[in-house]
Amino acid sequence: MRPIIFHVDMDAFYASVEQRDEPRYRGRPVVVGADPKEGRGRGVVAACSYQARQFGIHSAMPISQAYRACPQAVYLRPDFAKYSRVSRAIRKIFHRFTGQVEPISIDEAFLDVSHQAASASQALELGARLKREIYQLQRLTASIGIAPCKLVAKIASDWKKPNGLFLVRPEQVQDFLDPLPVSRIWGVGPKTQERLEKMDIRTIQELRKMEQDDLQERLGKFGRQLWFLARGIDERPVRSQPREAKSISQERTFAQDVDDDQLLEDTLEQLCLKVAQRLSQGGLMGKTTTLKLRYSDFTTITRQVSSRFPTCSAREIQSTALTLLRRYRTPGRRIRLIGVGLSNLEAENQDTPRQLRLF
Ligand SMILES: [Mg+2]
């Protein structure tokens, strides 16, 4: 089966969110970015509405230049917390369509829908449905490129922007790519572009005329990759991220059931250390500590306690787990398994001093 890849790109994302939330901004040039300070501001345009683009404004343009082009535009500072909330909501919509979702920025993602669509027309239908659902739930438009690989899907999403839906069939890939400038290839930056230009290569068709060895010699490993990309051969898979962990836990089953307090407490200490290590590797902290005990007759209890502040400190986890063990263990009953876990996880606070995070 041929892969069917979507590249979904939200249209003028930051500006569209602002226009959605403030009716007065709709239909007007909106520029999200640095403060223009009447044309004397520093910094750049982060995003702008399509109405602003008619004045020649584009993202990454100096804000002072944007102001000169269109002083009457609405100038807004970015609200990244809001944009990432919207971004997360849109990702949830993607996941209703396929589990294979690879976000590549706050407003772009690749989706592998090979298992959801069997033909080009089904893929188009699915793309239209995804756009509709995003609009119904978020009042925002997306552009979708559909192709047999990431390289072409990414270019195709740009083809009919805004609110676009564009499909490149496998047999159309070469004709689609050939006339494009090499800079359209994802990964070809200004530097590579310049080097290719010195070799008189401007279009993908010209790139295709080069020998593989020659490209590799001049551009290294990427040159070899370019030889394939110019032919529309791009086997990079859609890499879906693992869903975020809901809890991190460690447990140990004893070879022989245990009733020795010291052995239990020592084991618990080691488990807490491992949990703390895994939390810090994942950049996570948790509020709820859970102790799990399985007795020799296989009855299992879990007891948990939540603290006000999240932690990833081994010492804190250990002291909570020990309290739980001493409070809830039935004395005299032999224990077969002991475990400890942390849940209610959140991203580790970057401001927490390093030494507090270490043991
Ligand atoms: Mg976008």
Side-chain angles (χ1 to χ4, degrees), residues 9-12 107 161:
D9 186 6
M10 300 305 296
D11 300 323
D107 77 326
K161 241 179 183 314

Side-chain angles (χ1 to χ4, degrees), residues 27 122 162 177 181 186 265 302:
Q122 279 182 16
L177 287 176
W186 196 28
E265 294 190 2
T302 58

Side-chain angles (χ1 to χ4, degrees), residues 9 31 84 130 134 143 161 180 197 201 223 251 259 263 283 297 314 337 345:
D9 186 6
V31 179
S84 65
L130 175 55
I134 293 172
S143 293
K161 241 179 183 314
L180 299 178
E197 210 157 299
I201 298 172
E251 53 186 45
D259 65 354
L263 178 55
D297 63 358
L337 172 151
L345 301 181

Side-chain angles (χ1 to χ4, degrees), residues 156-169:
S157 69
D158 219 21
W159 219 246
K160 293 277 158 83
K161 241 179 183 314
N163 204 6
L165 179 64
F166 190 66
L167 169 99
V168 182
R169 290 165 198 270

Side-chain angles (χ1 to χ4, degrees), residues 73-355:
V74 178
Y75 287 88
L76 301 168
R77 301 301 82 68
D79 180 350
F80 292 113
K82 175 159 80 174
Y83 309 144
S84 65
R85 269 201 310 279
V86 178
S87 176
R88 278 197 300 275
I90 292 167
R91 267 178 220 174
K92 276 200 185 145
I93 302 173
F94 294 159
H95 277 279
R96 291 190 195 173
F97 283 73
T98 170
Q100 301 294 104
V101 176
E102 178 183 358
I104 53 172
S105 75
I106 194 167
D107 77 326
E108 274 177 74
F110 286 111
L111 277 63
D112 185 333
V113 296
S114 309
H115 294 286
Q116 285 72 25
S119 63
S121 63
Q122 279 182 16
L124 273 173
E125 224 169 89
L126 195 70
R129 192 146 63 81
L130 175 55
K131 279 163 54 70
R132 216 158 41 233
E133 237 167 89
I134 293 172
Y135 190 76
Q136 278 166 358
L137 291 165
Q138 288 295 325
R139 297 282 148 198
L140 293 170
T141 63
S143 293
I144 304 182
I146 307 173
C149 65
K150 280 178 159 182
L151 167 78
V152 180
K154 176 109 166 81
I155 302 171
S157 69
D158 219 21
W159 219 246
K160 293 277 158 83
K161 241 179 183 314
N163 204 6
L165 179 64
F166 190 66
L167 169 99
V168 182
R169 290 165 198 270
E171 64 273 18
Q172 298 168 327
V173 163
Q174 198 65 66
D175 288 341
F176 178 71
L177 287 176
D178 272 348
L180 299 178
V182 287
S183 57
R184 292 306 296 260
I185 297 176
W186 196 28
V188 173
K191 241 179 149 180
T192 310
Q193 198 186 341
E194 201 182 303
R195 282 159 92 179
L196 288 169
E197 210 157 299
K198 283 195 186 127
M199 293 154 68
D200 262 331
I201 298 172
R202 280 169 197 86
T203 64
I204 294 180
Q205 187 169 30
E206 286 165 349
L207 180 63
R208 202 150 58 83
K209 301 228 166 88
M210 294 293 293
E211 295 291 337
Q212 190 173 15
D213 289 346
D214 212 12
L215 278 174
Q216 182 161 6
E217 203 173 295
R218 291 172 193 238
L219 297 162
K221 224 173 112 192
F222 187 55
R224 195 180 145 74
Q225 217 182 322
L226 273 180
W227 189 90
F228 286 103
L229 294 178
R231 284 161 181 75
I233 303 169
D234 174 14
E235 285 170 358
R236 290 172 292 187
V238 172
R239 290 185 197 283
S240 54
Q241 292 171 331
R243 287 300 191 90
E244 264 173 49
K246 292 222 162 59
S247 70
I248 285 183
S249 59
Q250 289 282 327
E251 53 186 45
R252 181 166 311 157
T253 305
F254 297 106
Q256 279 175 340
D257 299 347
V258 167
D259 65 354
D260 177 355
D261 290 349
Q262 195 58 51
L263 178 55
L264 280 174
E265 294 190 2
D266 288 350
T267 306
L268 192 59
E269 180 182 346
Q270 289 165 25
L271 296 174
C272 290
L273 264 174
K274 275 200 185 149
V275 167
Q277 192 183 1
R278 284 178 55 200
L279 284 168
S280 69
Q281 279 163 358
L284 296 166
M285 302 176 95
K287 281 185 187 164
T288 305
T289 306
T290 302
L291 173 79
K292 177 175 171 185
L293 292 175
R294 180 167 296 147
Y295 294 105
S296 50
D297 63 358
F298 281 87
T299 52
T300 305
I301 63 158
T302 58
R303 293 291 180 268
Q304 55 184 212
V305 63
S306 295
S307 56
R308 236 178 104 202
F309 301 105
T311 184
C312 60
S313 137
R315 190 168 14 195
E316 277 180 43
I317 298 166
Q318 190 191 343
S319 109
T320 311
L322 264 180
T323 309
L324 288 170
L325 177 69
R326 289 173 183 161
R327 186 177 305 159
Y328 293 110
R329 176 186 169 215
T330 312
R333 281 181 82 180
R334 300 174 78 84
I335 287 173
R336 179 182 165 76
L337 172 151
I338 185 168
V340 66
L342 231 74
S343 54
N344 246 323
L345 301 181
E346 56 190 69
E348 186 180 8
N349 183 355
Q350 297 301 318
D351 302 333
T352 311
R354 184 81 201 155
Q355 65 268 29

